[in-house]
Amino acid sequence: MNQSAYDVIVVGAGIVGAACADEFAARGMRVLIVDREVVGSGATAAGMGHIVVMDDSDAQFALTRYSQQLWQALRPQLAEDVEYEQCGTIWAAADEEEMAEVQRKNEYYASRGVPTQVLDAKALQQFEPNLRSGMEGGLLVPEDAVLYPPCAARFLIGRAQQRGATLRLGASAVQTGHGQVGLSDGAQMSAALIVIAAGASSSELIPGIEIKKRKGHLVITDRYPGFLRHQLVELGYLKSAHSVTSDSVAFNVQPRQTGQILIGSSRQYGAEHRDVDHDILTRMLQRARLYMPALGSLSAVRTWTGFRAATPDKLPLIGPWPPDKSLFLATGHEGLGITTSLATARILVDQIAGSHPQIPVEPYLPSRTAKECAHA
Amino acid sequence: MPSPVSVVVNGKPVSVPSGTTVAVAMMIAGHTCRTSVTGEPRGPFCGMGICFECRAVVNGIPHSRSCQILCESGMDVRTDE
Amino acid sequence: MSSAHSFDVLVIGAGPAGIAAAVRAAERGVRVGIVDDNSTLGGQIWRGGSDQQDESASKWRERLRDAAVFTLPGKRVFDQPVAGVLLAESDHELCELRYKNLVVATGARERFLPFPGWTLPNVLGAGGLQAMVKQGLPIRGKRVVVAGTGPLLLAVAAYLRKHGAQVPVLCEQAPWSRLAGFATALVSEPTKISQALRLTGELAGVSFAANSWPLAAHGQNQLETVTISRSGKSQDIPCDYLACGFHLVPNIELPLLLGCRIHEGFVHVDDLQQTSISNIFCAGEPTAIGGVDLALAEGQIAGLAASGHAASAQLFRQRERARRFARVLDRTFRLRDELKHLPSPETFVCRCEDVPFSRLRNHASWRAAKLHTRCGMGPCQGRICGPASEFLFNWRPDSVRPPIFPVRVENLAALDDSQRLAIPFATGDAYARPNMK
């Protein structure tokens, strides 16, 4: 008898894998989640936990907006340690050119039903007194939020487990495909469906998946309640996220519910080691101090790094992996894993279950990247 | 005998011998240094500047480790109660 | 505001090991600097108390004064951005320290174990309360229970008594049998006999209880009573302070950051006190908890080696003798299993983030616990809760990242490569006389 104990095996217990497991379990499927470390220990542990609607492309907007609304709906059920806080995002404009971008963004969001508020220089100063003077203004997106990702992942896994999902930690997947997952401790499992949600490690598991590691740095301070009220991002962030080849830093700070300030952000290609890169760290912090001089006197308690999973077209891979009928991808989320995790799970499971996804899924299908895929 | 030093703890003057740390001045004045994240009163613990329990706002600077700061005349000390 | 200095031999930590290393190296004519995070030199053991002075300490202080050692008190090392360059922060200044050879003599800190009520105000470490008294805390007429483990308890109890405190009991968790072995070892060491005799005198009237440990501290907003376990029975003792510490753990954060090999929680060194990195030496408590004698022997050998000189056979013999004592210390003051059961489910293990024992128990590793409860993510960077968690749960600690001590953002951001080269170095005539009270 060849009956598998599971309908689906989710490889990766980060925020995306957790969301997928939760979704599959909610639809009555028998789920196994495997992870080589602990829940939420990869990019999920390293990221900022920012839930943000983005407008780089219509596809990015659709996914982030859908997912942000799912988070909002989920909020009342979230455990306290998820620390969900709807503090909103302010996109800060340093000059007239960036202010024009504020107007463009405002029109884009407003026409799609996302509440926004344009802030002039005075309003911006009032909202965020620690920002340097002389800023042009900004765009407030009040429905954006922040949370603490490892606990969010754990919450979602917990819900899946309550519906019978199994969690297996401490062994990495060494081969996946054709309905089989082999782990480093020798275990072999089978399921009709295997979901690869392994973030920056996905391309190690499945050669042919085009995912590159994009390293980031973060610094967290001691508690300074009231220092910062919203997630603050410079509009130059977009220039940084757009660049595909060079190392870049951008001003991006977040108030944690604890009152600690999270300071970012940086992006590097080709950096494989986890060590803090001092030059990048310095540049990142100096840029942050340009925007918020008062940051300089705060106490920095920890620094860390992480690897985002970046795809060539900056959109995630969500859907079937053509070379192998049993494989599905839910990976490549770059800096938007937290935001888009819930929608990723929805549209993935919709595709599998044959229900109609709420947004068009074509932009995220792995088949879009299939060039010469080796046949199984 | 070196002259005593007067610091202000939560608005009230406290006179201590020269060479006293801010942490001790707070203990003498009967104040705890800080409130923990769940609301417990906390005072100095390790005495060597590594536990961060003795933090207070000294001359406007939050998170100052008071066991590492010598009292200076006129210093303003606020605990977070 | 920044400064930069360059040394042939840079010593981190100005306790006995560091001072011995700096003196020996400087007496050989190389350019030596010594850094300490405290504004007064001497380390936990020798700092701030002429009443603590024995002959050895005075002799070394004098040698330090006479040697041409550049002292940098009040500076806390937090990072090594490139090999050979350390960054240190003082109140409002950033200091860049370049070295050819480094001696790490960062000492040890007390180990704290959680039990109900340990976070109450007026419950302090044993060394912690002693430090408060040195910092001016009036203790005359106060009742202090001293508890935990290790020879530090005796020194603290004696010190407190000398300053007029009442010590109703000293609770040592080690069993009598092991303590008897320790006493024998003391007797075989000449210098220790006199130390022991002096202590015996100072401790007359203190009830010494082996097989004894704190069960709970009680009080409304501060300590009022301590419940201790004494030979299986519990006893309530009203008191003003509880001075409680469970021996020492080495400060290995800097060697870890630098990439030195660590073996069973201590820095691995060869016969010349050299670590796995050829220009980095380590002496004193970070290699083994062994007290002043071992620190002095290791410090001298390290200082000589770092300046390219051999140590005498006598020094090696001194070190070997001191190492035997260190092994006795380790055996005697091992923590008993009962201490793992002291915390109640609500007892906070992580004081920075108020994480209770019940939440930590469910996690399989230090990393998982950190991620999901924030234990160890506070400003103490796990210095308090780390050793406790290691003992309670057998968790192995993980790696360190800069800053190894909280530091102002502006100092973490201070220097990139181009700026670093632009700072002129302090010149030789800036050697100052060491500041040691």
Side-chain angles (χ1 to χ4, degrees), chain B residues 21 36 38 40 42 45 53, chain C residues 119 124-125 128 135 351 354 405:
Chain B
T21 59
S36 78
T38 59
E40 284 192 344
R42 296 281 170 86
F45 181 67
E53 292 284 43
Chain C
T119 56
L124 293 98
Q135 292 172 23
R351 299 175 65 121
D354 283 7
F405 201 82

Side-chain angles (χ1 to χ4, degrees), chain A residues 23 47 57 78 93 107 144 154 176 207 218 230 257 295 342 360 363 365:
Chain A
E23 193 65 40
S57 63
L78 290 172
E107 276 147 38
D144 283 351
R154 211 214 56 247
T176 52
L218 284 175
H230 309 82
Q257 201 184 67
L295 277 175
L342 298 184
L365 290 178

